Amino acid sequence: MPAQTKPQNPVTVRVFAQRFSSTRLGARLARHLAVQRLDAWGIPYDTDLSDAAALIVAELAANAVTHGRVPGRDFELRLTLTADTLRIEVSDARGERRPREVQPEGESGRGLLLVAALADRWSVHDRVPVGKTVRADVCLLD
């Protein structure tokens, strides 16, 4: 007798991906476009989620252009929204320069304290063929 499977509800996944110049202007534009996209997806401006996402994108994009910049290479922002999670990913071309463990009393890396406080989890992944991706997940359900 075949096992019965439960019918699955379709999952709506929304994805936004854009490359930006590895400059301060590119980082600012990434933050602005992120909150604009979230608003279009039903997450209004000036809500806790929109504000948290803006801060996470701002920090990760600033790190990408400060520590991950390779002349002539852009960085990429990718937002993925599912029913229960907003995933923010920022990729750059410097795989060898990875974020270190967050140290509150350190001279650098304090921005990642903000990411750690706002996101439910964050991690760093190798990017093929070159570079790294810093990922922050914000759970939408309590």
Side-chain angles (χ1 to χ4, degrees):
M1 177 158 124
Q4 291 186 350
T5 59
K6 278 203 290 191
Q8 301 253 339
N9 291 332
V11 175
T12 300
V13 176
R14 297 183 176 175
V15 177
F16 169 78
Q18 179 71 48
R19 288 180 179 235
F20 298 92
S21 65
S22 290
T23 63
R24 291 184 308 188
L25 179 60
R28 266 195 319 273
L29 183 57
R31 181 177 55 84
H32 287 297
L33 287 179
V35 294
Q36 185 178 44
R37 179 58 55 168
L38 292 177
D39 184 65
W41 289 346
I43 299 170
Y45 297 106
D46 296 325
T47 60
D48 289 344
L49 180 56
S50 178
D51 291 346
L55 288 170
I56 292 169
V57 169
E59 179 56 34
L60 297 182
N63 284 351
V65 303
T66 303
H67 306 294
R69 184 175 185 276
V70 172
R73 297 279 180 107
D74 296 335
F75 75 93
E76 181 180 84
L77 168 67
R78 178 178 293 272
L79 304 174
T80 306
L81 180 66
T82 64
D84 61 354
T85 304
L86 171 62
R87 174 167 286 170
I88 300 166
E89 296 176 299
V90 175
S91 301
D92 64 53
R94 298 280 305 263
E96 75 280 4
R97 298 210 50 195
R98 300 173 84 79
R100 287 179 249 164
E101 189 68 28
V102 177
Q103 300 292 328
E105 59 280 340
E107 288 193 26
S108 65
R110 286 190 217 124
L112 289 174
L113 283 173
L114 183 64
V115 172
L118 295 171
D120 292 286
R121 61 192 159 273
W122 71 276
S123 55
V124 183
H125 305 270
D126 291 330
R127 185 171 186 226
V128 177
V130 65
K132 68 180 172 301
T133 298
V134 181
R135 176 184 298 161
D137 290 338
V138 179
C139 294
L140 305 178
L141 307 175
D142 293 326

